[in-house]
Amino acid sequence: MIDNVLSVKNLSISFREKTKNKKVLYNSSFNLKRGKTLSLVGESGSGKSITSLAVVSLLPKNATISGSITYNKRELIGLDENELQTLRGNKISFIFQEPMTSLNPLHTIEKQIGESLGFHQKLFGNERKIKVIELLKKVKIPNPETRLLDYPHQLSGGQKQRVMIAMALANKPDLLIADEPTTSLDVTIEKEIISLLMELKATENMSMIFITHNLRVVKEISDEVCVMQNGEIVEKGSTKKIFSNPQSDYTKKLLNSLPKGFKKISKTEVKNVLKIKNLKVWFPIKRGFFRRTEGYIKAVDQISFDVNEKQTLGIVGESGSGKTSVALAILKLIKSEGSLVFKNRDLRKLNKIENLQFRKHAQIIFQDPYGSLSPKMTIEEIVGEGLDIHEKHSKQLRYEKICDILNEVGLEKSMSSRFPHEFSGGQRQRIAIARALILKPSLLILDEPTSALDVSVQLQVIELLQSLQKKYALSYIFISHDIALIRSVSDKIIIMNNGTIVDEGETKSLFSEPNSLYTKKLIHASNIV
């Protein structure tokens, strides 16, 4: 009979705020069987991370906790701090979401992994160094002997996450809690990390709690699933049961929010909006006292493509592929070479006034809706800023235009006096869309516009963008590393790798007959067919 390594019963958590308590978790119960993987699934604020932190009493001091958490039949709530320290990082280990903030930038990789070995296993000197190398080999860091003195900034995102996994595995834990460990990674790196975790789970005979909002990953790795919403477990059961026969409306909503199928392409007269030919963005590498150019980083290297009216061009690629450099070059925000023709006008030959007009008709929406909005400006000021530059209206007409566009993107005019921090992530992205659309552009560049959003909010924003495209005959360049999302929104796609186009074509044909091995690799890593 399989026993439970972890049992959580009627767990409730609240935080003291001044004179009142705010409850964030309500009577949650679940079991984790030995050697199995349990996924906690839900959107931001659902209580996933709070639940995991409660397991080893890592909650803030203003937290009040009730219920029961037993690890190997031993009650953890109320356990002495010294006893908890023998469990944390030893029998129960964590992998956190963002490796760059979890790793100390001032310490070498050897020191950070070795710290836990010294504390729990009393390993020091050469013995500890050998163990660190062994752990780096286990997580498949190439040439680990040469990476011991590296600092976190010298590693790629995937390598940093592998170091975090090595730290978590240092003392052969019984239970591994992985909190969104692949959220910030490219799809192929995500696939590698997931495969590594599953391999290590089997070889190390661990149990795992996997926290995520990525349902594709959940389906691949989990034995059991708990779906959380607003601090409650709304559904739980085997992965097969949850995906094949969901019972709660919220679970159904999450599953229906996954990007599916292909965009319906309407047959209309083709009018060209943008024509790019032999675009180059090279950044010089300067070295020495005299800063001589010794080479170039070829961010974008001789690429060509067209964008037509009412059409969405998807640009797919991983970090460093050149996607964003293409967008910035089109908008003339970075230096580039090659032909840029917008509505039959050569962008290289525009004078100052003509260039200002071009910027009105070509807008961009950035990845991070919070970082792209000024925290010191009201929504009215943010959305109306473009009008102040490109169109001169009376105060009343300006306000009416702002209210109209806010209403268009699903926001109320009463919100115009608020500041960005008073909105959710999805609402902030709607504000960014309103800011771009108030000038009635022809071309909208969307640089990872939904990657920072929860899955159901992502669907809402995508549906909004599609309805606006149809209404205003907009052309989109949609940049993403999420190939499943790109498939559902694009008329045609270009695949970029190391600054070049390695594959391109109409969406359906590209998925049915990909030409490059890299495209096949991306499709395989995304778990879509």
Side-chain angles (χ1 to χ4, degrees):
M1 182 177 177
I2 299 175
D3 64 330
N4 296 323
V5 68
L6 186 75
S7 290
V8 175
K9 293 181 182 178
N10 301 320
L11 181 65
S12 295
I13 300 171
S14 59
F15 291 108
R16 291 186 299 278
E17 293 183 349
K18 295 181 180 178
T19 58
K20 60 180 182 179
N21 284 349
K22 181 182 179 182
K23 205 162 187 177
V24 294
L25 196 70
Y26 300 83
N27 299 317
S28 295
S29 300
F30 60 85
N31 294 316
L32 173 60
K33 295 175 182 175
R34 195 171 301 280
K36 300 296 182 179
T37 298
L38 168 73
S39 284
L40 300 182
V41 180
E43 298 177 291
S44 301
S46 62
K48 308 185 302 294
S49 295
I50 287 293
T51 300
S52 68
L53 292 173
V55 170
V56 284
S57 298
L58 288 175
L59 294 172
K61 289 183 178 180
N62 66 333
T64 301
I65 184 170
S66 64
S68 171
I69 301 173
T70 57
Y71 163 72
N72 284 333
K73 300 180 180 178
R74 182 185 185 188
E75 181 60 55
L76 298 183
I77 293 180
L79 201 63
D80 178 78
E81 183 64 25
N82 290 330
E83 292 180 286
L84 282 169
Q85 284 184 358
T86 64
L87 291 175
R88 296 183 191 132
N90 188 23
K91 295 299 181 182
I92 304 175
S93 281
F94 272 82
I95 302 170
F96 293 101
Q97 179 174 351
E98 181 46 68
M100 195 63 213
T101 54
S102 301
L103 295 172
N104 191 322
L106 301 178
H107 293 167
T108 64
I109 300 310
E110 180 182 2
K111 183 172 182 180
Q112 296 193 58
I113 297 175
E115 188 175 25
S116 179
L117 294 170
F119 183 81
H120 290 290
Q121 297 186 37
K122 310 303 178 188
L123 292 180
F124 300 99
N126 196 54
E127 191 178 7
R128 183 159 82 177
K129 182 177 181 178
I130 291 170
K131 182 65 176 177
V132 171
I133 292 171
E134 179 187 315
L135 286 165
L136 290 175
K137 284 180 179 176
K138 189 174 284 187
V139 297
K140 300 180 181 178
I141 294 280
N143 306 313
E145 298 87 351
T146 66
R147 308 310 298 265
L148 294 177
L149 299 180
D150 283 357
Y151 290 87
H153 72 272
Q154 294 173 287
L155 305 176
S156 68
Q159 287 173 329
K160 284 195 280 278
Q161 199 60 289
R162 288 171 189 270
V163 169
M164 288 291 295
I165 295 170
M167 291 169 66
L169 296 178
N171 299 297
K172 295 184 178 294
D174 236 3
L175 170 60
L176 181 64
I177 301 175
D179 189 358
E180 300 269 15
T182 61
T183 297
S184 59
L185 302 178
D186 288 322
V187 64
T188 54
I189 305 300
E190 176 187 87
K191 185 80 172 179
E192 291 172 7
I193 295 298
I194 292 299
S195 297
L196 174 64
L197 283 173
M198 297 312 293
E199 179 186 326
L200 292 169
K201 174 181 165 285
T203 57
E204 301 294 317
N205 194 30
M206 292 186 301
S207 306
M208 183 160 69
I209 294 177
F210 196 93
I211 299 168
T212 186
H213 62 265
N214 188 330
L215 293 172
R216 295 184 189 279
V217 172
V218 169
K219 191 174 183 179
E220 182 182 356
I221 71 167
S222 302
D223 299 295
E224 302 276 330
V225 178
C226 290
V227 181
M228 301 189 70
Q229 181 190 24
N230 298 327
E232 294 185 81
I233 295 176
V234 296
E235 188 165 0
K236 58 185 173 182
S238 70
T239 305
K240 184 178 180 180
K241 180 184 173 184
I242 293 289
F243 277 82
S244 63
N245 188 27
Q247 297 300 305
S248 84
D249 290 338
Y250 181 68
T251 306
K252 293 173 185 176
K253 177 185 173 184
L254 286 182
L255 292 172
N256 289 332
S257 298
L258 288 171
K260 297 182 184 75
F262 296 90
K263 180 184 177 184
K264 291 181 180 178
I265 300 175
S266 57
K267 301 295 182 182
T268 57
E269 182 185 352
V270 175
K271 292 182 181 178
N272 183 262
V273 172
L274 182 70
K275 187 179 286 291
I276 304 294
K277 192 172 182 181
N278 298 327
L279 181 66
K280 285 172 56 177
V281 180
W282 288 14
F283 297 107
I285 302 169
K286 296 180 182 289
R287 291 196 177 98
F289 181 78
F290 294 103
R291 308 298 293 161
R292 291 191 177 95
T293 299
E294 295 187 1
Y296 292 90
I297 296 172
K298 299 179 181 181
V300 181
D301 194 21
Q302 301 280 1
I303 73 167
S304 303
F305 60 86
D306 294 348
V307 181
N308 297 325
E309 190 179 80
K310 303 179 185 178
Q311 186 181 67
T312 299
L313 170 70
I315 302 182
V316 184
E318 298 178 288
S319 301
S321 62
K323 308 185 302 294
T324 299
S325 293
V326 170
L328 297 177
I330 291 169
L331 296 173
K332 301 176 71 178
L333 296 176
I334 57 174
K335 289 183 179 180
S336 65
E337 295 178 22
S339 175
L340 300 172
V341 177
F342 178 75
K343 289 191 168 184
N344 299 318
R345 302 198 69 176
D346 188 344
L347 297 182
R348 305 285 186 200
K349 298 178 180 178
L350 301 184
N351 60 36
K352 191 174 182 180
I353 295 174
E354 291 170 333
N355 197 52
L356 192 63
Q357 281 296 308
F358 162 68
R359 294 197 185 284
K360 177 182 176 181
H361 293 293
Q363 293 285 310
I364 187 168
I365 296 172
F366 294 100
Q367 177 176 353
D368 181 3
Y370 194 71
S372 64
L373 303 177
S374 172
K376 296 181 179 180
M377 297 171 69
T378 65
I379 302 314
E380 180 181 346
E381 291 170 332
I382 288 169
V383 175
E385 191 175 22
L387 292 177
D388 299 337
I389 296 170
H390 295 283
E391 301 174 11
K392 302 300 179 183
H393 298 294
S394 66
K395 191 174 182 180
Q396 181 60 31
L397 181 57
R398 177 183 180 275
Y399 180 69
E400 288 174 4
K401 280 181 171 284
I402 292 169
C403 291
D404 286 344
I405 200 66
L406 287 176
N407 181 64
E408 195 86 62
V409 300
L411 298 173
E412 298 173 11
K413 67 178 182 180
S414 60
M415 297 175 173
S416 63
S417 60
R418 299 185 195 171
F419 291 87
H421 72 271
E422 299 177 78
F423 294 87
S424 68
Q427 287 175 321
R428 285 195 285 263
Q429 200 59 293
R430 289 173 185 268
I431 293 164
I433 293 169
R435 176 175 61 181
L437 289 185
I438 198 166
L439 294 171
K440 300 291 187 289
S442 306
L443 174 67
L444 195 55
I445 299 176
L446 306 151
D447 189 1
E448 301 268 14
T450 61
S451 65
L453 305 178
D454 286 321
V455 62
S456 62
V457 180
Q458 173 181 279
L459 179 63
Q460 293 169 16
V461 171
I462 292 299
E463 289 176 343
L464 171 64
L465 288 168
Q466 289 176 330
S467 67
L468 292 170
Q469 181 178 41
K470 188 175 181 180
K471 182 175 182 178
Y472 293 112
L474 292 166
S475 301
Y476 289 160
I477 295 178
F478 201 112
I479 297 170
S480 181
H481 66 268
D482 185 341
I483 199 164
L485 176 61
I486 284 289
R487 180 181 70 166
S488 69
V489 301
S490 302
D491 298 279
K492 62 181 184 180
I493 295 174
I494 62 176
I495 308 287
M496 291 191 67
N497 188 28
N498 295 326
T500 63
I501 294 175
V502 296
D503 215 340
E504 61 184 314
E506 289 191 0
T507 305
K508 279 191 177 181
S509 61
L510 187 136
F511 273 84
S512 60
E513 296 180 17
N515 293 312
S516 78
L517 290 174
Y518 182 71
T519 306
K520 293 174 184 176
K521 181 182 176 185
L522 285 181
I523 293 172
H524 174 70
S526 300
N527 294 320
I528 56 176
V529 292

